[in-house]
Amino acid sequence: MIRLDGVGKDFGDFTAVRELSLEIPEGKTCVMVGPSGCGKTTTMRIVNRLIEPTRGTVYIDGEDYKKKKVEILRRDIGYVIQEVGLFPHRTIAENISTTPKLAGWDDKKIKKRVDELLDLVELDPDENRNKFPRQLSGGQRQRVGLARAMAADPPVMLMDEPFAAVDPITRENLQNMFLRLQRKMKKTIVFVTHDINEAIKMGDQIAILKQGELVQADTPEELLANPKNQFVADFIGVDRAIKILDLFSTDEVMWTEAPVIKKQSMQDEARKLIESGEKGIPVIVEDEQGKKFWFDLDELEKEGSLEDIIRPLEITLDPTNSIKLAMARMLEHNNDAVLIKGEEDEEPGILTLRGIRNYVYRICESSPGEKVGK
Ligand SMILES: Nc1ncnc2c1ncn2[C@@H]1O[C@H](COP(=O)(O)OP(=O)(O)OP(=O)(O)O)[C@@H](O)[C@H]1O
Ligand SMILES: [Mg+2]
Protein backbone atom coordinates (compact mmCIF):
# COMPACT_ATOMS: atom_id res chain seq x y z
CA MET A 1 0.00 0.00 0.00
CA ILE A 2 1.24 3.49 -0.87
CA ARG A 3 0.05 6.56 0.98
CA LEU A 4 1.02 10.08 0.02
CA ASP A 5 0.54 12.33 2.99
CA GLY A 6 0.47 16.05 2.25
CA VAL A 7 3.24 15.67 -0.31
CA GLY A 8 4.38 18.89 -1.99
CA LYS A 9 7.25 20.20 -4.07
CA ASP A 10 8.47 23.73 -4.72
CA PHE A 11 11.08 24.59 -7.32
CA GLY A 12 12.24 28.00 -6.04
CA ASP A 13 9.07 30.11 -5.76
CA PHE A 14 7.19 27.84 -8.10
CA THR A 15 4.92 25.24 -6.55
CA ALA A 16 4.80 22.18 -8.80
CA VAL A 17 2.84 20.02 -6.33
CA ARG A 18 0.86 21.77 -3.62
CA GLU A 19 -0.22 19.24 -1.01
CA LEU A 20 -1.16 15.86 -2.26
CA SER A 21 -2.78 13.20 -0.09
CA LEU A 22 -3.69 9.96 -1.78
CA GLU A 23 -3.92 6.31 -0.85
CA ILE A 24 -3.34 3.44 -3.26
CA PRO A 25 -4.42 0.06 -1.86
CA GLU A 26 -2.22 -2.97 -2.40
CA GLY A 27 -2.62 -4.63 -5.78
CA LYS A 28 -4.61 -1.73 -7.23
CA THR A 29 -3.90 0.72 -10.03
CA CYS A 30 -4.25 4.43 -9.43
CA VAL A 31 -4.17 6.50 -12.60
CA MET A 32 -3.10 10.13 -12.33
CA VAL A 33 -4.45 12.33 -15.08
CA GLY A 34 -4.32 16.02 -15.71
CA PRO A 35 -3.11 18.66 -18.14
CA SER A 36 0.55 19.00 -19.05
CA GLY A 37 2.59 20.55 -16.24
CA CYS A 38 0.10 19.72 -13.45
CA GLY A 39 2.75 17.81 -11.49
CA LYS A 40 2.29 14.15 -12.46
CA THR A 41 5.92 13.34 -13.24
CA THR A 42 7.07 15.38 -10.24
CA THR A 43 4.84 13.24 -7.99
CA MET A 44 6.26 10.03 -9.48
CA ARG A 45 9.81 11.29 -8.96
CA ILE A 46 9.00 12.06 -5.35
CA VAL A 47 7.66 8.54 -4.74
CA ASN A 48 10.84 7.09 -6.22
CA ARG A 49 12.95 9.64 -4.29
CA LEU A 50 14.58 10.96 -7.42
CA ILE A 51 13.59 14.28 -5.87
CA GLU A 52 12.88 15.11 -2.24
CA PRO A 53 9.46 16.48 -1.32
CA THR A 54 9.45 20.01 0.11
CA ARG A 55 6.68 18.93 2.49
CA GLY A 56 4.86 15.79 3.47
CA THR A 57 6.02 12.21 3.11
CA VAL A 58 5.19 8.90 1.51
CA TYR A 59 4.32 5.76 3.42
CA ILE A 60 4.91 2.38 1.85
CA ASP A 61 3.21 -0.46 3.71
CA GLY A 62 2.69 1.92 6.59
CA GLU A 63 6.34 2.86 6.92
CA ASP A 64 7.76 6.32 6.22
CA TYR A 65 9.77 5.78 3.04
CA LYS A 66 12.60 7.99 4.27
CA LYS A 67 13.52 5.27 6.75
CA LYS A 68 14.41 2.94 3.89
CA LYS A 69 17.73 3.08 2.09
CA VAL A 70 17.21 4.68 -1.31
CA GLU A 71 18.74 1.66 -3.13
CA ILE A 72 16.33 -0.71 -1.39
CA LEU A 73 13.37 1.59 -2.07
CA ARG A 74 14.24 1.78 -5.77
CA ARG A 75 14.68 -1.97 -6.02
CA ASP A 76 11.14 -2.38 -4.75
CA ILE A 77 9.72 0.18 -7.17
CA GLY A 78 9.75 -0.47 -10.90
CA TYR A 79 9.79 2.79 -12.81
CA VAL A 80 8.71 3.13 -16.43
CA ILE A 81 9.86 6.65 -17.23
CA GLN A 82 8.17 9.06 -19.61
CA GLU A 83 9.54 8.58 -23.17
CA VAL A 84 10.82 5.09 -22.30
CA GLY A 85 14.44 6.23 -21.71
CA LEU A 86 16.26 3.02 -22.63
CA PHE A 87 20.06 3.25 -22.58
CA PRO A 88 20.86 3.59 -26.30
CA HIS A 89 24.29 1.95 -26.20
CA ARG A 90 23.17 -1.08 -24.26
CA THR A 91 21.45 -4.10 -25.76
CA ILE A 92 17.88 -5.01 -24.88
CA ALA A 93 19.15 -7.72 -22.51
CA GLU A 94 21.52 -5.27 -20.81
CA ASN A 95 18.78 -2.69 -20.47
CA ILE A 96 16.42 -5.16 -18.85
CA SER A 97 19.07 -6.50 -16.47
CA THR A 98 19.88 -3.08 -14.97
CA THR A 99 18.15 -3.61 -11.60
CA PRO A 100 18.96 -7.33 -11.18
CA LYS A 101 22.66 -6.45 -11.72
CA LEU A 102 22.49 -3.75 -9.07
CA ALA A 103 20.86 -6.27 -6.77
CA GLY A 104 23.84 -8.59 -7.34
CA TRP A 105 22.10 -11.49 -9.13
CA ASP A 106 24.39 -14.00 -10.86
CA ASP A 107 24.64 -14.06 -14.66
CA LYS A 108 22.69 -17.26 -15.13
CA LYS A 109 19.74 -16.04 -13.10
CA ILE A 110 19.79 -12.70 -14.93
CA LYS A 111 19.84 -14.35 -18.36
CA LYS A 112 16.91 -16.54 -17.45
CA ARG A 113 14.95 -13.58 -16.10
CA VAL A 114 15.60 -11.50 -19.25
CA ASP A 115 14.15 -14.22 -21.47
CA GLU A 116 11.21 -14.73 -19.16
CA LEU A 117 10.43 -11.00 -19.23
CA LEU A 118 10.75 -10.75 -23.01
CA ASP A 119 8.26 -13.59 -23.27
CA LEU A 120 5.99 -11.87 -20.79
CA VAL A 121 5.86 -8.65 -22.84
CA GLU A 122 5.36 -10.74 -25.97
CA LEU A 123 8.75 -10.18 -27.65
CA ASP A 124 10.73 -13.15 -28.99
CA PRO A 125 13.83 -13.48 -26.76
CA ASP A 126 16.08 -14.97 -29.48
CA GLU A 127 15.18 -12.25 -31.92
CA ASN A 128 15.43 -9.33 -29.55
CA ARG A 129 17.82 -9.82 -26.68
CA ASN A 130 20.95 -8.70 -28.55
CA LYS A 131 19.40 -5.81 -30.43
CA PHE A 132 19.89 -2.17 -29.55
CA PRO A 133 16.92 0.10 -28.76
CA ARG A 134 17.23 1.96 -32.11
CA GLN A 135 16.58 -1.34 -33.93
CA LEU A 136 13.13 -1.64 -32.34
CA SER A 137 9.83 0.07 -33.14
CA GLY A 138 8.31 2.54 -30.69
CA GLY A 139 5.83 -0.05 -29.39
CA GLN A 140 8.58 -2.66 -28.96
CA ARG A 141 10.70 -0.14 -27.05
CA GLN A 142 7.77 0.52 -24.73
CA ARG A 143 7.51 -3.21 -24.07
CA VAL A 144 11.21 -3.29 -23.20
CA GLY A 145 10.76 -0.29 -20.90
CA LEU A 146 8.05 -2.24 -19.12
CA ALA A 147 10.19 -5.39 -18.91
CA ARG A 148 13.06 -3.37 -17.45
CA ALA A 149 10.80 -1.91 -14.76
CA MET A 150 9.47 -5.37 -13.85
CA ALA A 151 12.91 -7.04 -13.86
CA ALA A 152 13.41 -7.51 -10.12
CA ASP A 153 9.70 -8.23 -9.63
CA PRO A 154 9.02 -5.09 -7.57
CA PRO A 155 5.73 -4.98 -5.65
CA VAL A 156 5.23 -1.35 -6.70
CA MET A 157 5.31 0.07 -10.23
CA LEU A 158 5.36 3.69 -11.33
CA MET A 159 4.43 4.05 -14.97
CA ASP A 160 4.74 7.50 -16.50
CA GLU A 161 2.82 7.60 -19.79
CA PRO A 162 4.10 4.10 -20.58
CA PHE A 163 2.08 3.67 -23.77
CA ALA A 164 2.21 7.19 -25.17
CA ALA A 165 3.68 7.97 -28.57
CA VAL A 166 2.43 4.89 -30.41
CA ASP A 167 -0.45 4.48 -32.82
CA PRO A 168 -3.89 3.75 -31.32
CA ILE A 169 -3.87 0.05 -32.27
CA THR A 170 -0.44 -0.63 -30.78
CA ARG A 171 -1.50 1.32 -27.76
CA GLU A 172 -4.60 -0.79 -27.29
CA ASN A 173 -2.53 -3.97 -27.65
CA LEU A 174 -0.08 -2.75 -25.02
CA GLN A 175 -2.92 -1.81 -22.66
CA ASN A 176 -4.56 -5.20 -23.05
CA MET A 177 -1.27 -7.02 -22.58
CA PHE A 178 -0.63 -5.06 -19.41
CA LEU A 179 -4.13 -5.67 -18.04
CA ARG A 180 -3.62 -9.41 -18.60
CA LEU A 181 -0.29 -9.28 -16.77
CA GLN A 182 -1.68 -7.22 -13.92
CA ARG A 183 -4.52 -9.68 -13.37
CA LYS A 184 -1.86 -12.20 -12.37
CA MET A 185 0.81 -9.90 -10.89
CA LYS A 186 -1.46 -7.74 -8.73
CA LYS A 187 1.14 -5.03 -8.25
CA THR A 188 0.44 -1.71 -6.65
CA ILE A 189 0.61 0.74 -9.54
CA VAL A 190 0.70 4.46 -10.08
CA PHE A 191 0.02 5.06 -13.75
CA VAL A 192 0.20 8.46 -15.44
CA THR A 193 -1.58 9.43 -18.62
CA HIS A 194 -3.00 12.42 -20.45
CA ASP A 195 -5.73 10.30 -21.87
CA ILE A 196 -8.95 9.98 -19.89
CA ASN A 197 -10.02 6.93 -21.91
CA GLU A 198 -6.82 5.15 -20.97
CA ALA A 199 -7.38 6.17 -17.33
CA ILE A 200 -10.89 4.70 -17.33
CA LYS A 201 -9.64 1.50 -18.90
CA MET A 202 -6.58 0.97 -16.70
CA GLY A 203 -7.56 2.45 -13.36
CA ASP A 204 -9.20 1.05 -10.25
CA GLN A 205 -8.96 4.61 -9.05
CA ILE A 206 -8.47 7.86 -10.97
CA ALA A 207 -6.83 10.94 -9.49
CA ILE A 208 -7.38 14.15 -11.43
CA LEU A 209 -4.76 16.84 -10.89
CA LYS A 210 -4.80 20.50 -11.81
CA GLN A 211 -1.87 22.86 -11.29
CA GLY A 212 -0.29 20.74 -8.59
CA GLU A 213 -3.54 20.07 -6.75
CA LEU A 214 -5.66 16.97 -6.47
CA VAL A 215 -9.16 17.84 -7.68
CA GLN A 216 -10.88 14.47 -7.34
CA ALA A 217 -9.85 10.88 -6.65
CA ASP A 218 -12.49 8.22 -7.20
CA THR A 219 -13.31 5.01 -8.99
CA PRO A 220 -13.93 5.47 -12.73
CA GLU A 221 -17.65 4.77 -12.18
CA GLU A 222 -17.93 7.39 -9.46
CA LEU A 223 -15.94 9.94 -11.42
CA LEU A 224 -18.16 9.57 -14.47
CA ALA A 225 -21.33 9.60 -12.42
CA ASN A 226 -20.37 12.43 -10.10
CA PRO A 227 -17.73 14.79 -11.46
CA LYS A 228 -16.95 17.11 -8.58
CA ASN A 229 -16.81 20.31 -10.61
CA GLN A 230 -16.75 21.72 -14.10
CA PHE A 231 -13.00 21.12 -14.50
CA VAL A 232 -13.44 17.38 -13.94
CA ALA A 233 -16.55 17.35 -16.12
CA ASP A 234 -14.68 19.10 -18.93
CA PHE A 235 -11.75 16.76 -18.53
CA ILE A 236 -14.00 13.73 -18.82
CA GLY A 237 -15.52 15.27 -21.91
CA VAL A 238 -18.97 15.90 -23.29
CA ASP A 239 -19.38 12.24 -24.17
CA ARG A 240 -19.48 11.09 -20.56
CA ALA A 241 -22.62 9.05 -21.21
CA ILE A 242 -20.79 7.17 -23.97
CA LYS A 243 -17.81 6.51 -21.70
CA ILE A 244 -20.15 5.01 -19.12
CA LEU A 245 -21.10 2.42 -21.76
CA ASP A 246 -17.54 1.11 -21.66
CA LEU A 247 -17.57 0.57 -17.91
CA PHE A 248 -20.50 -1.76 -17.47
CA SER A 249 -20.99 -5.26 -18.78
CA THR A 250 -24.20 -6.50 -20.35
CA ASP A 251 -25.05 -8.69 -17.35
CA GLU A 252 -25.14 -5.63 -15.07
CA VAL A 253 -27.85 -3.95 -17.14
CA MET A 254 -29.85 -6.78 -18.76
CA TRP A 255 -33.24 -8.17 -17.73
CA THR A 256 -32.76 -11.57 -16.21
CA GLU A 257 -36.36 -12.55 -15.70
CA ALA A 258 -38.00 -11.64 -18.96
CA PRO A 259 -40.88 -14.06 -19.61
CA VAL A 260 -40.35 -16.47 -22.51
CA ILE A 261 -43.54 -17.32 -24.41
CA LYS A 262 -44.36 -19.50 -27.43
CA LYS A 263 -45.00 -17.86 -30.76
CA GLN A 264 -48.08 -19.99 -31.57
CA SER A 265 -49.88 -18.87 -28.44
CA MET A 266 -48.30 -15.46 -28.01
CA GLN A 267 -51.55 -13.47 -28.18
CA ASP A 268 -53.06 -15.36 -25.26
CA GLU A 269 -49.89 -15.41 -23.23
CA ALA A 270 -49.29 -11.68 -23.76
CA ARG A 271 -52.83 -10.93 -22.57
CA LYS A 272 -52.27 -13.06 -19.49
CA LEU A 273 -49.11 -11.15 -18.69
CA ILE A 274 -50.95 -7.83 -18.91
CA GLU A 275 -53.82 -9.17 -16.82
CA SER A 276 -51.42 -10.35 -14.14
CA GLY A 277 -50.25 -6.76 -13.80
CA GLU A 278 -46.83 -7.01 -15.48
CA LYS A 279 -45.62 -3.64 -16.77
CA GLY A 280 -42.66 -2.21 -18.67
CA ILE A 281 -40.92 -5.50 -19.25
CA PRO A 282 -39.48 -7.05 -22.38
CA VAL A 283 -40.96 -10.39 -23.41
CA ILE A 284 -39.03 -13.04 -25.34
CA VAL A 285 -40.97 -15.01 -27.95
CA GLU A 286 -39.76 -18.34 -29.31
CA ASP A 287 -41.08 -20.07 -32.43
CA GLU A 288 -41.12 -23.82 -33.14
CA GLN A 289 -37.65 -23.69 -34.74
CA GLY A 290 -36.22 -22.01 -31.65
CA LYS A 291 -35.91 -18.64 -33.38
CA LYS A 292 -36.28 -15.78 -30.96
CA PHE A 293 -38.22 -12.53 -31.11
CA TRP A 294 -39.13 -9.94 -28.55
CA PHE A 295 -41.54 -7.17 -27.75
CA ASP A 296 -42.07 -4.59 -25.05
CA LEU A 297 -45.17 -5.08 -22.92
CA ASP A 298 -45.70 -1.32 -22.47
CA GLU A 299 -45.61 -0.85 -26.20
CA LEU A 300 -48.18 -3.59 -26.63
CA GLU A 301 -50.53 -1.82 -24.24
CA LYS A 302 -50.16 1.40 -26.23
CA GLU A 303 -50.19 -0.03 -29.76
CA GLY A 304 -52.53 -2.92 -29.21
CA SER A 305 -51.23 -5.09 -32.04
CA LEU A 306 -48.60 -7.70 -31.32
CA GLU A 307 -47.82 -8.32 -35.02
CA ASP A 308 -46.84 -4.68 -35.42
CA ILE A 309 -44.40 -4.54 -32.55
CA ILE A 310 -42.75 -7.96 -32.44
CA ARG A 311 -39.14 -7.90 -33.70
CA PRO A 312 -36.48 -10.53 -34.26
CA LEU A 313 -33.88 -11.04 -31.54
CA GLU A 314 -30.97 -11.89 -33.78
CA ILE A 315 -27.88 -10.79 -31.88
CA THR A 316 -26.41 -12.85 -29.04
CA LEU A 317 -23.65 -11.56 -26.77
CA ASP A 318 -21.74 -12.75 -23.71
CA PRO A 319 -22.56 -11.47 -20.22
CA THR A 320 -19.00 -10.06 -19.98
CA ASN A 321 -19.28 -7.92 -23.13
CA SER A 322 -19.54 -4.18 -22.55
CA ILE A 323 -22.84 -2.42 -23.02
CA LYS A 324 -20.98 -0.31 -25.55
CA LEU A 325 -20.47 -3.38 -27.73
CA ALA A 326 -24.14 -4.23 -27.33
CA MET A 327 -25.06 -0.70 -28.48
CA ALA A 328 -22.71 -0.96 -31.45
CA ARG A 329 -24.29 -4.26 -32.54
CA MET A 330 -27.80 -2.86 -32.17
CA LEU A 331 -26.93 0.19 -34.27
CA GLU A 332 -25.26 -1.93 -36.96
CA HIS A 333 -28.29 -4.18 -37.29
CA ASN A 334 -30.99 -1.59 -36.70
CA ASN A 335 -32.13 -3.61 -33.67
CA ASP A 336 -33.12 -2.41 -30.26
CA ALA A 337 -32.38 -5.47 -28.15
CA VAL A 338 -29.80 -8.23 -27.85
CA LEU A 339 -29.94 -11.63 -26.23
CA ILE A 340 -27.33 -12.30 -23.52
CA LYS A 341 -26.16 -15.89 -23.17
CA GLY A 342 -26.93 -17.49 -19.84
CA GLU A 343 -23.94 -18.97 -18.02
CA GLU A 344 -24.08 -22.76 -17.84
CA ASP A 345 -27.72 -23.68 -17.17
CA GLU A 346 -28.89 -20.15 -16.43
CA GLU A 347 -31.67 -18.59 -18.51
CA PRO A 348 -30.55 -16.04 -21.10
CA GLY A 349 -31.04 -12.33 -20.41
CA ILE A 350 -32.24 -9.59 -22.68
CA LEU A 351 -30.68 -6.17 -22.99
CA THR A 352 -32.78 -3.47 -24.62
CA LEU A 353 -31.92 -0.03 -25.88
CA ARG A 354 -34.50 1.37 -23.51
CA GLY A 355 -32.88 -0.49 -20.62
CA ILE A 356 -29.48 1.01 -21.47
CA ARG A 357 -30.96 4.47 -21.85
CA ASN A 358 -32.60 4.35 -18.43
CA TYR A 359 -29.50 2.92 -16.78
CA VAL A 360 -27.13 5.56 -18.15
CA TYR A 361 -29.61 8.32 -17.49
CA ARG A 362 -29.97 7.28 -13.85
CA ILE A 363 -26.18 7.48 -13.41
CA CYS A 364 -25.90 10.88 -15.11
CA GLU A 365 -28.94 12.28 -13.33
CA SER A 366 -27.51 11.56 -9.90
CA SER A 367 -24.71 14.11 -10.45
CA PRO A 368 -25.01 16.98 -8.02
CA GLY A 369 -24.58 20.60 -9.01
CA GLU A 370 -23.39 21.43 -12.46
CA LYS A 371 -24.54 19.35 -15.36
CA VAL A 372 -21.96 18.17 -17.81
CA GLY A 373 -21.67 19.08 -21.44
CA LYS A 374 -23.39 22.43 -21.60
N1 LIG B 1 13.54 20.41 -11.90
C1 LIG B 1 12.61 21.36 -12.09
N2 LIG B 1 12.88 22.66 -11.88
C2 LIG B 1 11.94 23.59 -12.06
N3 LIG B 1 10.67 23.36 -12.43
C3 LIG B 1 10.34 22.08 -12.67
C4 LIG B 1 11.27 21.02 -12.50
N4 LIG B 1 10.64 19.85 -12.78
C5 LIG B 1 9.38 20.19 -13.11
N5 LIG B 1 9.19 21.51 -13.04
C6 LIG B 1 7.92 22.22 -13.30
O1 LIG B 1 6.91 21.64 -12.50
C7 LIG B 1 5.68 21.57 -13.21
C8 LIG B 1 5.19 20.15 -13.19
O2 LIG B 1 6.02 19.35 -14.01
P1 LIG B 1 5.75 17.81 -14.26
O3 LIG B 1 6.88 17.28 -15.07
O4 LIG B 1 5.48 17.18 -12.98
O5 LIG B 1 4.42 17.89 -15.13
P2 LIG B 1 3.55 16.72 -15.75
O6 LIG B 1 2.23 16.79 -15.11
O7 LIG B 1 4.30 15.45 -15.69
O8 LIG B 1 3.42 17.21 -17.27
P3 LIG B 1 3.43 16.36 -18.65
O9 LIG B 1 2.03 15.85 -18.77
O10 LIG B 1 3.72 17.39 -19.66
O11 LIG B 1 4.46 15.30 -18.55
C9 LIG B 1 5.96 22.11 -14.60
O12 LIG B 1 5.52 23.44 -14.66
C10 LIG B 1 7.47 22.04 -14.73
O13 LIG B 1 7.96 23.05 -15.57
MG1 LIG C 1 5.14 14.18 -17.12
Side-chain angles (χ1 to χ4, degrees), residues 11 14 16 34-43 82 161 194:
F11 294 109
F14 176 73
S36 190
C38 70
K40 304 180 295 292
T41 298
T42 304
T43 307
Q82 201 168 1
E161 305 205 28
H194 275 106

Coordinates of all heavy atoms in Angstrom, one line a residue, residues 11 14 16 34-43 82 161 194, ligand 1:
F11 N 9.8 24.3 -6.6 CA 11.1 24.6 -7.3 C 11.3 26.1 -7.2 O 10.6 26.8 -7.9 CB 11.0 24.2 -8.8 CG 10.9 22.7 -9.0 CD1 9.7 22.1 -9.4 CD2 11.9 21.8 -8.8 CE1 9.5 20.8 -9.6 CE2 11.8 20.4 -9.0 CZ 10.6 19.9 -9.4
F14 N 8.3 28.5 -7.4 CA 7.2 27.8 -8.1 C 6.7 26.6 -7.4 O 7.6 25.7 -7.0 CB 7.7 27.5 -9.5 CG 6.7 26.8 -10.3 CD1 5.5 27.4 -10.8 CD2 6.9 25.4 -10.6 CE1 4.6 26.7 -11.6 CE2 5.9 24.7 -11.3 CZ 4.8 25.3 -11.8
A16 N 5.2 23.2 -7.8 CA 4.8 22.2 -8.8 C 3.7 21.2 -8.3 O 2.8 20.9 -9.0 CB 6.0 21.4 -9.2
G34 N -4.2 14.6 -15.8 CA -4.3 16.0 -15.7 C -3.5 16.7 -16.8 O -2.7 16.0 -17.5
P35 N -3.8 18.0 -17.0 CA -3.1 18.7 -18.1 C -1.6 18.7 -18.0 O -1.1 18.5 -16.9 CB -3.7 20.1 -18.0 CG -4.8 20.1 -17.1 CD -4.7 18.8 -16.3
S36 N -0.9 18.9 -19.1 CA 0.5 19.0 -19.1 C 1.0 20.0 -18.0 O 0.5 21.1 -17.9 CB 1.0 19.4 -20.4 OG 2.4 19.3 -20.5
G37 N 2.0 19.6 -17.2 CA 2.6 20.6 -16.2 C 1.9 20.6 -14.9 O 2.2 21.3 -14.0
C38 N 0.9 19.7 -14.7 CA 0.1 19.7 -13.4 C 0.8 19.0 -12.3 O 0.3 19.0 -11.2 CB -1.3 19.1 -13.6 SG -1.3 17.4 -13.9
G39 N 2.0 18.4 -12.6 CA 2.8 17.8 -11.5 C 2.8 16.3 -11.4 O 3.2 15.7 -10.4
K40 N 2.4 15.6 -12.5 CA 2.3 14.2 -12.5 C 3.7 13.5 -12.3 O 3.9 12.7 -11.5 CB 1.6 13.6 -13.7 CG 0.2 14.2 -13.9 CD -0.5 13.7 -15.2 CE 0.2 14.1 -16.5 NZ 0.1 15.5 -16.8
T41 N 4.6 13.9 -13.3 CA 5.9 13.3 -13.2 C 6.6 13.7 -11.9 O 7.3 12.9 -11.3 CB 6.7 13.8 -14.5 OG1 6.1 13.3 -15.6 CG2 8.1 13.3 -14.5
T42 N 6.4 14.9 -11.5 CA 7.1 15.4 -10.2 C 6.6 14.5 -9.1 O 7.5 14.0 -8.3 CB 6.7 16.9 -9.9 OG1 7.1 17.6 -11.1 CG2 7.4 17.4 -8.7
T43 N 5.3 14.1 -9.0 CA 4.8 13.2 -8.0 C 5.5 11.9 -8.1 O 5.9 11.3 -7.1 CB 3.3 13.1 -8.1 OG1 2.8 14.4 -8.1 CG2 2.7 12.3 -6.9
Q82 N 8.8 8.4 -18.4 CA 8.2 9.1 -19.6 C 9.2 9.0 -20.8 O 10.4 9.2 -20.6 CB 7.8 10.5 -19.2 CG 6.8 11.1 -20.1 CD 6.2 12.5 -19.6 OE1 6.7 12.9 -18.5 NE2 5.3 13.0 -20.3
E161 N 3.2 7.6 -18.4 CA 2.8 7.6 -19.8 C 3.5 6.4 -20.5 O 4.2 6.7 -21.5 CB 3.1 8.9 -20.5 CG 2.5 10.1 -19.7 CD 2.2 11.3 -20.5 OE1 1.9 11.1 -21.7 OE2 2.1 12.4 -20.0
H194 N -2.2 11.2 -20.1 CA -3.0 12.4 -20.5 C -4.4 12.1 -20.9 O -5.3 12.9 -21.0 CB -2.4 13.0 -21.7 CG -1.3 13.9 -21.5 ND1 0.0 13.6 -21.7 CD2 -1.2 15.2 -21.0 CE1 0.8 14.6 -21.4 NE2 0.1 15.6 -20.9
Ligands
LIG1 N1 13.5 20.4 -11.9 C1 12.6 21.4 -12.1 N2 12.9 22.7 -11.9 C2 11.9 23.6 -12.1 N3 10.7 23.4 -12.4 C3 10.3 22.1 -12.7 C4 11.3 21.0 -12.5 N4 10.6 19.8 -12.8 C5 9.4 20.2 -13.1 N5 9.2 21.5 -13.0 C6 7.9 22.2 -13.3 O1 6.9 21.6 -12.5 C7 5.7 21.6 -13.2 C8 5.2 20.1 -13.2 O2 6.0 19.3 -14.0 P1 5.8 17.8 -14.3 O3 6.9 17.3 -15.1 O4 5.5 17.2 -13.0 O5 4.4 17.9 -15.1 P2 3.5 16.7 -15.8 O6 2.2 16.8 -15.1 O7 4.3 15.5 -15.7 O8 3.4 17.2 -17.3 P3 3.4 16.4 -18.6 O9 2.0 15.9 -18.8 O10 3.7 17.4 -19.7 O11 4.5 15.3 -18.6 C9 6.0 22.1 -14.6 O12 5.5 23.4 -14.7 C10 7.5 22.0 -14.7 O13 8.0 23.0 -15.6

